Amino acid sequence: MADPSPDTEDALHEQRDWLLVTLSCIGDAVITTDLAGRVTFLNPVAESLTGWTQDAVGQPLDRVIRLINEESRQPVEIPTVEALREDRPVKLASHSLLIAKDGTERSISDSAAPITNDRGEVAGVVLVFRDITERRKTERALDKALAYADDIIATLREPFVVLDSDLRIKTANRSFYDTFKATKGETENHFLYDLGNGQWDIPGLRKLLDEVLSRNQSVHDFEVEHSFPELGRKTMVLNARPFPPDSKHPELILLAVEDVSAVRARADELAEACRHKDEFLATLAHELRNPLSPIRNSVHYLGLDGLTEGDVKAAREVINRQVAIMVRLIDDLLDVSRISRDKLDVRKERVQLATVVESAVESSRPLLQQCGHELTVDLPPETFYLDADPIRLAQVFLNLLNNAAKYTNRGGQISLSAHREGSDAVVSVRDNGIGIPSDMLSGVFDMFTQVDRSLERSQGGLGIGLTLVRRLVEMHDGSIEARSEGLKKGSEFVIRLPLLASPPTEKLEGNALPTAMRLSHGRILVVDDNKDAAHSLAMLLRLKGNDIRTAHDGVEALEVAEEFHPEIVLLDIGLPKLNGYDVARRIRQQPWGQDVLLVALTGWGNDQDRRLSQEAGFNFHTVKPVDLPALEELLAGAK
Ligand code: ADP
């Protein structure tokens, strides 16, 4: 090839100078290399970014350009290598840091491209890069701000969605998905009114969003009621805000959907409770006032001269009766306050249903007689044992009997019956009175509920008796149900209570018994620190022809036994001075004590108590109150 003519050479020089000036003036850094990857040129921007001067020329490029990844800080390949390999322009992996000669780190973006000579052969590479440190800072700040916004949305307890201006959902938070039982897939990028097969096409919501879009203004506390096909009726408070706030055309709408259904329902309940309480106070004032007039009249009357003994007695009875009514009202009031504070107390023990019923029937007699009602009580022959508080359970039956008396016209028929159903005792209190409308059958158990609240029809109650009854029955692990065919058709209250499974008296394994025995014509020592309990049992046993002694503490028991040589000892365990176990042990140590029949009387019969009785030498373990027929049956079977 001929040498270039001087003209051509001049033109080439001129072109090269022009290129160098251009490269020196541009804002990007430029470095070129030869095929071997050695630097052949770097412009001033490249010098200032790398910290090298023209001494870089001839150096391997990877000495001059040191790149690491922003996050991992691992070396990053300079794209020149790839550009050479691929013979095409290549961009740098994003988020790379250039480390200058003095250690300064800068974010850069760069690209590399092969240089071809005029014969079309690759002669080297050109690397163009720029300092994007400031841009990366802004990008990172933006990323952080977005993550922050996402976190806020995710943390919000109320359901939240972000819509674009076409009302498509860009994002929703967990609370939205949980509250409205939707998934992300069914929600994101969907048109709002299409969600859940159109269940979000709510007129109130449309109105709100139209307002936000047309006026580009926030709307606050917009209340909407809507029935969702699956979720039922919901009351929602909506808050919507266009974004960006000051632009003419919002790009986004931020929508918070607070589900206030539970709060509203609670508020309604509270208002209802408040109304009940007001009615209750009116009834209470009336009921407490009622007995006062007869009391005042009687007191005046007692102040008159010339009264006979009969007059005074009659006036005293009026006062007694009216005071009893007031006491009952006040007791009910106290119980109500205990129910409200969950402080109702029951002391359970093993009791016989018949005993409890008897006590309730006795207490209800005066009212039943006053109203001229006839009461029939029908209990099964079998003894029902319950784990119950005898006083509270009697209160339950008394309440039902009193209600039957109150809500039955004069001369009515009232019955109380019990039977076994599986492992439950079922007790029914039935009357042929005014009955209960079917829609009130479950409501009558609610606090302050009375079917007829008119004061002139008031029967001297406060509408809390059945609330108390239900609570007490539940505290005995039972249930209660009201039944009635309707008004004037009478009412029935049915209570179910779990029966105690184990029998109250049992023979203790391993303690051989002398002979079969009967609780008659024998020598029996009754030991109980409760004198009334000891004497009443002694009386019963004496009636059966037994010779009876009693003792009220452990030491006395031993002294009497020593002298009396009883055949049977009915021995309480919890005794002053010496407990029942020790008394039993000492009796067994005596020559006369080997064949004595020892019966433990205890408050409770758990396994531990039984084991202790057996170890102390008792033959039987009996749980109070003593059931004489059952004990007798057991003794008769003893061999
Ligand atoms: P009170 O008797 O003080 O009003 P209760 O809680 O005992 O309150 O009873 C609530 C309501 O249930 C009564 O007001 C009455 O309307 C109805 N009720 C209770 N027992 C009977 C019954 N045996 N027959 C008809 N209605 C009854």
Side-chain angles (χ1 to χ4, degrees):
M1 197 198 274
D3 282 340
S5 70
D7 277 357
T8 324
E9 211 164 303
D10 281 354
L12 270 175
H13 273 297
E14 197 175 312
Q15 201 175 354
R16 186 182 154 81
D17 289 347
W18 180 81
L19 191 66
L20 282 176
V21 172
T22 309
L23 289 177
S24 304
C25 296
I26 63 170
D28 286 347
V30 180
I31 295 182
T32 58
T33 71
D34 60 17
L35 261 183
R38 287 182 185 282
V39 176
T40 52
F41 167 81
L42 71 167
N43 74 350
V45 182
E47 282 180 11
S48 87
L49 293 187
T50 59
W52 287 75
T53 54
Q54 288 303 311
D55 56 353
V57 174
Q59 296 289 337
L61 181 65
D62 54 6
R63 274 199 72 195
V64 179
I65 301 282
R66 280 164 53 217
L67 294 175
I68 60 167
N69 178 277
E70 186 179 281
E71 298 282 327
S72 68
R73 305 197 60 85
Q74 293 300 311
V76 174
E77 189 179 66
I78 312 170
T80 50
V81 181
E82 201 182 339
L84 272 182
R85 199 170 51 230
E86 306 272 324
D87 191 13
R88 62 173 179 83
V90 174
K91 274 188 127 352
L92 176 64
S94 43
H95 307 168
S96 297
L97 290 178
L98 170 70
I99 304 176
K101 212 173 177 186
D102 64 358
T104 311
E105 295 180 0
R106 293 185 180 87
S107 295
I108 60 159
S109 83
D110 70 1
S111 59
I115 309 171
T116 45
N117 60 20
D118 46 5
R119 290 186 297 278
E121 296 158 347
V122 176
V125 197
V126 57
L127 179 70
V128 181
F129 54 103
R130 71 173 59 150
D131 181 359
I132 58 161
T133 306
E134 285 310 310
R135 197 178 90 198
R136 278 296 297 145
K137 255 193 210 157
T138 314
E139 276 175 9
R140 273 200 299 271
L142 199 65
D143 285 350
K144 214 164 154 183
L146 284 175
Y148 182 61
D150 281 349
D151 272 1
I152 291 177
I153 293 176
T155 316
L156 283 179
R157 275 182 48 192
E158 64 185 17
F160 191 88
V161 287
V162 179
L163 304 164
D164 65 16
S165 53
D166 294 328
L167 302 184
R168 279 182 190 282
I169 292 170
K170 283 182 73 69
T171 179
N173 66 355
R174 168 101 346 257
S175 170
F176 181 87
Y177 296 132
D178 289 349
T179 309
F180 298 106
K181 310 272 175 283
T183 64
K184 200 169 172 159
E186 297 161 351
T187 309
E188 274 188 6
N189 299 321
H190 285 73
F191 184 46
L192 175 67
Y193 303 141
D194 287 346
L195 288 190
N197 291 329
Q199 61 176 349
W200 278 88
D201 191 357
I202 305 168
L205 182 60
R206 269 185 187 268
K207 191 165 165 244
L208 166 99
L209 293 175
D210 285 350
E211 205 164 313
V212 175
L213 284 173
S214 60
R215 298 223 225 131
N216 197 26
Q217 269 180 6
S218 301
V219 177
H220 299 290
D221 298 337
F222 191 92
E223 194 164 315
V224 169
E225 285 250 354
H226 183 63
S227 279
F228 288 90
E230 279 170 25
L231 303 171
R233 194 151 192 85
K234 287 220 175 268
T235 310
M236 299 175 286
V237 172
L238 307 175
N239 275 286
R241 168 185 278 274
F243 185 88
D246 303 322
S247 92
K248 266 200 148 156
H249 305 288
E251 291 162 31
L252 301 174
I253 297 174
L254 314 180
L255 177 64
V257 187
E258 190 183 359
D259 177 6
V260 294
S261 320
V263 180
R264 290 283 189 278
R266 186 87 193 100
D268 290 349
E269 268 172 32
L270 285 176
E272 177 73 3
C274 203
R275 198 179 55 75
H276 269 317
K277 220 164 213 168
D278 286 346
E279 284 178 2
F280 167 74
L281 286 176
T283 314
L284 176 63
H286 180 265
E287 295 304 330
L288 282 176
R289 231 188 135 71
N290 267 346
L292 288 179
S293 317
I295 291 175
R296 188 153 51 188
N297 292 343
S298 303
V299 170
H300 271 301
Y301 185 73
L302 286 172
L304 298 179
D305 291 335
L307 294 181
T308 64
E309 208 170 297
D311 294 336
V312 172
K313 188 167 173 247
R316 260 210 322 262
E317 275 170 3
V318 169
I319 295 175
N320 264 338
R321 258 199 313 276
Q322 298 303 322
V323 167
I325 291 176
M326 291 187 82
V327 167
R328 208 177 62 223
L329 286 172
I330 290 164
D331 281 349
D332 276 2
L333 266 184
L334 287 175
D335 280 342
V336 156
S337 101
R338 287 189 197 113
I339 291 186
S340 318
R341 287 177 297 130
D342 235 358
K343 286 264 156 36
L344 211 59
D345 203 23
V346 296
R347 288 159 200 225
K348 292 187 193 172
E349 56 187 81
R350 181 186 292 266
V351 293
Q352 293 180 19
L353 176 66
T355 318
V356 177
V357 166
E358 214 168 281
S359 134
V361 166
E362 271 325 299
S363 310
S364 71
R365 282 241 190 261
L367 184 66
L368 291 168
Q369 271 163 9
Q370 201 181 317
C371 302
H373 298 315
E374 190 191 327
L375 172 71
T376 44
V377 178
D378 181 14
L379 296 181
E382 135 184 51
T383 311
F384 284 168
Y385 289 96
L386 304 168
D387 181 22
D389 179 330
I391 295 175
R392 289 303 197 177
L393 201 55
Q395 190 181 359
V396 165
F397 298 130
L398 175 61
N399 253 308
L400 295 180
L401 288 169
N402 279 348
N403 274 354
K406 286 193 307 188
Y407 300 107
T408 299
N409 291 330
R410 209 178 158 70
Q413 301 285 330
I414 295 170
S415 68
L416 186 156
S417 62
H419 65 274
R420 174 196 276 271
E421 260 181 48
S423 56
D424 290 338
V426 178
V427 185
S428 146
V429 177
R430 184 198 277 269
D431 61 58
N432 63 347
I434 64 171
I436 301 172
S438 57
D439 59 341
M440 290 297 289
L441 282 174
S442 60
V444 286
F445 296 103
D446 293 340
M447 182 91 82
F448 311 140
T449 298
Q450 296 183 307
V451 174
D452 186 347
R453 292 206 69 92
S454 53
L455 291 178
E456 59 279 9
R457 295 293 311 270
S458 168
Q459 298 286 333
L462 300 171
I464 51 188
L466 287 181
T467 312
L468 191 59
V469 163
R470 181 172 60 183
R471 188 76 200 100
L472 287 172
V473 169
E474 284 168 356
M475 287 173 91
H476 284 87
D477 304 317
S479 62
I480 179 162
E481 185 195 350
R483 297 176 185 164
S484 173
E485 305 271 299
L487 284 178
K488 299 208 180 121
K489 299 257 176 71
S491 313
E492 183 183 12
F493 287 82
V494 181
I495 293 183
R496 248 163 223 285
L497 292 164
L499 284 165
L500 273 186
S502 55
T505 307
E506 58 185 272
K507 181 187 160 194
L508 293 171
E509 293 296 320
N511 288 333
L513 286 168
T515 45
M517 286 195 137
R518 297 207 149 266
L519 288 176
S520 57
H521 308 291
R523 283 192 314 280
I524 304 179
L525 170 59
V526 177
V527 188
D528 198 324
D529 59 334
N530 178 336
K531 291 190 177 157
D532 285 343
H535 289 306
S536 55
L537 186 57
M539 251 157 53
L540 280 176
L541 291 169
R542 227 171 247 130
L543 285 177
K544 287 175 162 283
N546 295 292
D547 186 5
I548 304 291
R549 297 279 192 283
T550 55
H552 308 302
D553 64 55
V555 173
E556 189 189 358
L558 279 177
E559 285 166 6
V560 177
E562 181 69 54
E563 178 253 319
F564 180 51
H565 287 193
E567 290 165 294
I568 300 175
V569 183
L570 301 178
L571 183 52
D572 189 13
I573 296 295
L575 284 175
K577 299 191 186 165
L578 200 61
N579 72 36
Y581 297 129
D582 289 337
V583 174
R585 255 180 234 114
R586 302 234 184 135
I587 290 178
R588 283 283 183 248
Q589 283 162 6
Q590 306 306 317
W592 52 265
Q594 304 301 314
D595 290 343
V596 177
L597 202 93
L598 293 180
V599 181
L601 306 179
T602 75
W604 197 238
N606 65 30
D607 287 348
Q608 165 77 352
D609 293 327
R610 281 202 188 91
R611 199 176 49 72
L612 287 174
S613 301
Q614 190 176 336
E615 282 169 8
F618 279 100
N619 303 99
F620 290 105
H621 187 91
T622 303
V623 177
K624 289 199 242 178
V626 185
D627 182 31
L628 274 189
L631 184 61
E632 200 162 29
E633 212 173 280
L634 204 87
L635 293 184
K639 285 274 166 339

mmCIF file of all heavy atoms in Angstrom, residues 6 34 48 53 158 324 335 443 457 508 610 639:
data_model
loop_
_atom_site.group_PDB
_atom_site.id
_atom_site.type_symbol
_atom_site.label_atom_id
_atom_site.label_comp_id
_atom_site.label_asym_id
_atom_site.label_seq_id
_atom_site.Cartn_x
_atom_site.Cartn_y
_atom_site.Cartn_z
ATOM 1 N N PRO A 6 1.085 13.666 1.949
ATOM 2 C CA PRO A 6 1.122 14.652 3.038
ATOM 3 C C PRO A 6 -0.242 15.263 3.279
ATOM 4 O O PRO A 6 -0.637 15.506 4.432
ATOM 5 C CB PRO A 6 2.115 15.725 2.526
ATOM 6 C CG PRO A 6 2.885 15.078 1.430
ATOM 7 C CD PRO A 6 2.084 13.973 0.875
ATOM 8 N N ASP A 34 -5.813 -1.273 23.835
ATOM 9 C CA ASP A 34 -5.484 -2.058 22.641
ATOM 10 C C ASP A 34 -6.041 -3.453 22.816
ATOM 11 O O ASP A 34 -6.716 -3.746 23.810
ATOM 12 C CB ASP A 34 -3.962 -2.052 22.408
ATOM 13 C CG ASP A 34 -3.214 -2.648 23.594
ATOM 14 O OD1 ASP A 34 -3.884 -3.342 24.427
ATOM 15 O OD2 ASP A 34 -2.005 -2.418 23.724
ATOM 16 N N SER A 48 -9.821 12.127 36.265
ATOM 17 C CA SER A 48 -10.294 12.569 37.587
ATOM 18 C C SER A 48 -11.095 11.464 38.285
ATOM 19 O O SER A 48 -11.043 11.329 39.492
ATOM 20 C CB SER A 48 -11.079 13.873 37.478
ATOM 21 O OG SER A 48 -12.414 13.601 37.214
ATOM 22 N N THR A 53 -3.267 9.542 35.953
ATOM 23 C CA THR A 53 -2.981 10.581 34.959
ATOM 24 C C THR A 53 -2.608 9.867 33.672
ATOM 25 O O THR A 53 -2.956 8.690 33.510
ATOM 26 C CB THR A 53 -1.818 11.474 35.435
ATOM 27 O OG1 THR A 53 -0.726 10.616 35.732
ATOM 28 C CG2 THR A 53 -2.223 12.302 36.641
ATOM 29 N N GLU A 158 -56.274 -1.134 59.647
ATOM 30 C CA GLU A 158 -57.492 -1.069 58.853
ATOM 31 C C GLU A 158 -57.188 -1.449 57.407
ATOM 32 O O GLU A 158 -56.071 -1.249 56.912
ATOM 33 C CB GLU A 158 -58.135 0.303 58.934
ATOM 34 C CG GLU A 158 -57.320 1.400 58.362
ATOM 35 C CD GLU A 158 -57.989 2.762 58.596
ATOM 36 O OE1 GLU A 158 -58.880 2.859 59.445
ATOM 37 O OE2 GLU A 158 -57.601 3.702 57.924
ATOM 38 N N ALA A 324 -90.060 -8.992 104.411
ATOM 39 C CA ALA A 324 -89.500 -10.165 103.716
ATOM 40 C C ALA A 324 -89.429 -9.894 102.214
ATOM 41 O O ALA A 324 -88.454 -10.254 101.541
ATOM 42 C CB ALA A 324 -90.351 -11.394 104.000
ATOM 43 N N ASP A 335 -77.311 -10.075 94.229
ATOM 44 C CA ASP A 335 -76.882 -11.152 93.337
ATOM 45 C C ASP A 335 -76.635 -10.636 91.938
ATOM 46 O O ASP A 335 -75.711 -11.057 91.256
ATOM 47 C CB ASP A 335 -77.928 -12.262 93.308
ATOM 48 C CG ASP A 335 -77.794 -13.165 94.531
ATOM 49 O OD1 ASP A 335 -76.721 -13.129 95.156
ATOM 50 O OD2 ASP A 335 -78.756 -13.873 94.856
ATOM 51 N N GLY A 443 -85.529 -15.204 75.583
ATOM 52 C CA GLY A 443 -85.272 -13.859 76.110
ATOM 53 C C GLY A 443 -85.558 -13.726 77.600
ATOM 54 O O GLY A 443 -84.958 -12.887 78.269
ATOM 55 N N ARG A 457 -99.070 -4.312 85.918
ATOM 56 C CA ARG A 457 -99.109 -5.796 85.864
ATOM 57 C C ARG A 457 -97.962 -6.406 86.654
ATOM 58 O O ARG A 457 -97.789 -7.614 86.693
ATOM 59 C CB ARG A 457 -99.003 -6.275 84.406
ATOM 60 C CG ARG A 457 -100.161 -5.905 83.511
ATOM 61 C CD ARG A 457 -101.434 -6.631 83.933
ATOM 62 N NE ARG A 457 -101.205 -8.051 84.108
ATOM 63 C CZ ARG A 457 -101.337 -8.929 83.137
ATOM 64 N NH1 ARG A 457 -101.718 -8.547 81.964
ATOM 65 N NH2 ARG A 457 -101.132 -10.204 83.361
ATOM 66 N N LEU A 508 -64.378 -50.395 101.886
ATOM 67 C CA LEU A 508 -62.977 -50.220 101.514
ATOM 68 C C LEU A 508 -62.337 -51.581 101.304
ATOM 69 O O LEU A 508 -62.472 -52.475 102.138
ATOM 70 C CB LEU A 508 -62.254 -49.435 102.603
ATOM 71 C CG LEU A 508 -62.716 -47.984 102.721
ATOM 72 C CD1 LEU A 508 -62.122 -47.333 103.944
ATOM 73 C CD2 LEU A 508 -62.339 -47.198 101.480
ATOM 74 N N ARG A 610 -59.900 -41.785 100.311
ATOM 75 C CA ARG A 610 -60.230 -43.213 100.479
ATOM 76 C C ARG A 610 -59.013 -44.007 100.910
ATOM 77 O O ARG A 610 -59.081 -44.872 101.771
ATOM 78 C CB ARG A 610 -60.726 -43.776 99.149
ATOM 79 C CG ARG A 610 -62.118 -43.403 98.908
ATOM 80 C CD ARG A 610 -62.787 -44.337 97.924
ATOM 81 N NE ARG A 610 -64.062 -43.716 97.667
ATOM 82 C CZ ARG A 610 -64.273 -42.844 96.685
ATOM 83 N NH1 ARG A 610 -63.330 -42.571 95.840
ATOM 84 N NH2 ARG A 610 -65.447 -42.275 96.564
ATOM 85 N N LYS A 639 -69.679 -59.099 105.225
ATOM 86 C CA LYS A 639 -69.466 -60.472 105.729
ATOM 87 C C LYS A 639 -68.173 -60.496 106.515
ATOM 88 O O LYS A 639 -67.200 -59.878 106.107
ATOM 89 C CB LYS A 639 -69.358 -61.438 104.543
ATOM 90 C CG LYS A 639 -70.703 -61.706 103.906
ATOM 91 C CD LYS A 639 -71.391 -62.827 104.625
ATOM 92 C CE LYS A 639 -72.858 -63.016 104.333
ATOM 93 N NZ LYS A 639 -73.708 -62.070 103.814
#
